[in-house]
Amino acid sequence: MLEVNGIDVAYGHIQALRRVSLRAQAGEIVALTGPNGAGKSTVLRTISGLLRPLAGEVILDGTRIDRMAPERIVEMGVSHLPEGRGIFPTLSVEENLRMGYFIKRRDRLGFKSNVERVTELFPRIRERWSQAAGTLSGGEQQMLALARALLPEPRLLMIDELSLGLAPIVVQQLLSRVQEINEQGTTILLVEQYVNLALRIARRGYVMEKGRIAMSGEANQLLKDSEQMRASYLGGGGLGASDDVAAAALAEDAAATAPAKRRAPRKTATRRTKTG
């Protein structure tokens, strides 16, 4: 479905991506992980047409799209949920959803049926229908952003840092919804700081480091290679906040699979009492 072939991308004179290649087949969840500054968000921006590669190409269903305008790429069935959610805080939940359906705004019946579909996934959105989006909780805002990205009925949904700023229990809930979305037929390209959670729901994964693909393979195999994965996270010259989370998650995985050590029984002091 999606092929990214050897792309180079730069911001001015600073090269952000070097010969990056990846693919996502129809119906897959593909995880794209790596430390802060590795280039993950730049990959998504390039696929969605916000950036143009200096070299290489991006192909969707056999059609080259890296020279197309972003709105044309959306029309071809690609939705991009950016890092930071990108909601309009002063607009209501309903108005935010209508903005997500702008490209199909003349299809009023389609909007109604699609709203019913996304509010089944996220019932709380219906409860907050007339509320300003900026007054929602972080988890509710992310639900709204996901729902808005789903409204145009994308075939490929790209999600950038779903977990950013959210409690782990909310992240788990959102990732379970991502799985449901995938089961309904949408291909997912997931950029995620919680690397172990992302790889557990993905079929395949890629690990980026300094603008390159450092590792790739089946998700379950990448989970097993925790030491090599940690080396990729540490290889960027220090851990940022989100990298700490990822490294800690890998450590938790390793601890969970390691054989349990038996603790030696604790010695308890006995108190002597005088007799007589």
Side-chain angles (χ1 to χ4, degrees), residues 125-184:
I125 289 174
R126 176 63 75 181
E127 298 170 11
R128 306 286 191 266
W129 191 249
S130 300
Q131 192 170 326
T135 65
L136 303 180
S137 69
E140 289 170 342
Q141 289 183 13
Q142 196 64 285
M143 291 175 194
L144 174 58
L146 255 177
R148 186 180 61 185
L150 288 172
L151 274 180
E153 299 178 281
R155 293 178 297 121
L156 172 64
L157 175 60
M158 302 189 298
I159 304 173
D160 196 351
E161 298 291 8
L162 185 72
S163 67
L164 189 66
L166 301 179
I169 189 170
V170 177
V171 175
Q172 289 275 17
Q173 293 168 353
L174 288 172
L175 286 175
S176 70
R177 294 296 179 269
V178 169
Q179 286 181 290
E180 289 183 46
I181 293 164
N182 175 251
E183 288 165 2
Q184 293 172 5

Side-chain angles (χ1 to χ4, degrees), residues 60-254:
L60 182 70
D61 288 333
T63 300
R64 186 170 179 177
I65 65 171
D66 55 87
R67 292 294 182 266
M68 292 183 180
E71 60 269 25
R72 175 65 184 132
I73 295 173
V74 173
E75 289 174 351
M76 292 185 68
V78 178
S79 276
H80 180 182
L81 196 167
E83 181 180 356
R85 299 159 198 157
I87 63 167
F88 299 95
T90 60
L91 299 184
S92 69
V93 166
E94 177 188 0
E95 290 166 335
N96 268 272
L97 291 175
R98 289 191 180 279
M99 291 300 291
Y101 203 71
F102 185 80
I103 204 160
K104 295 184 176 182
R105 59 194 178 278
R106 293 183 178 86
D107 184 6
R108 295 183 180 180
L109 290 177
F111 175 76
K112 184 178 179 180
S113 63
N114 281 341
V115 163
E116 290 175 358
R117 178 172 58 89
V118 298
T119 52
E120 284 181 9
L121 279 169
F122 306 107
R124 201 169 300 176
I125 289 174
R126 176 63 75 181
E127 298 170 11
R128 306 286 191 266
W129 191 249
S130 300
Q131 192 170 326
T135 65
L136 303 180
S137 69
E140 289 170 342
Q141 289 183 13
Q142 196 64 285
M143 291 175 194
L144 174 58
L146 255 177
R148 186 180 61 185
L150 288 172
L151 274 180
E153 299 178 281
R155 293 178 297 121
L156 172 64
L157 175 60
M158 302 189 298
I159 304 173
D160 196 351
E161 298 291 8
L162 185 72
S163 67
L164 189 66
L166 301 179
I169 189 170
V170 177
V171 175
Q172 289 275 17
Q173 293 168 353
L174 288 172
L175 286 175
S176 70
R177 294 296 179 269
V178 169
Q179 286 181 290
E180 289 183 46
I181 293 164
N182 175 251
E183 288 165 2
Q184 293 172 5
T186 304
T187 304
I188 308 287
L189 180 55
L190 178 65
V191 166
E192 181 49 59
Q193 64 174 335
Y194 286 107
V195 58
N196 63 332
L197 295 181
L199 289 175
R200 280 174 182 158
I201 70 168
R203 180 178 176 183
R204 292 184 301 104
Y206 296 85
V207 182
M208 293 193 68
E209 181 186 348
K210 297 180 180 178
R212 303 177 186 269
I213 301 294
M215 296 174 63
S216 65
E218 296 293 318
N220 56 2
Q221 187 58 47
L222 289 175
L223 278 170
K224 291 177 183 176
D225 294 338
S226 59
E227 285 303 317
Q228 189 175 351
M229 183 83 77
R230 182 175 174 81
S232 291
Y233 270 80
L234 291 168
L239 293 172
S242 65
D243 305 326
D244 281 334
V245 172
L250 286 168
E252 287 174 9
D253 270 358

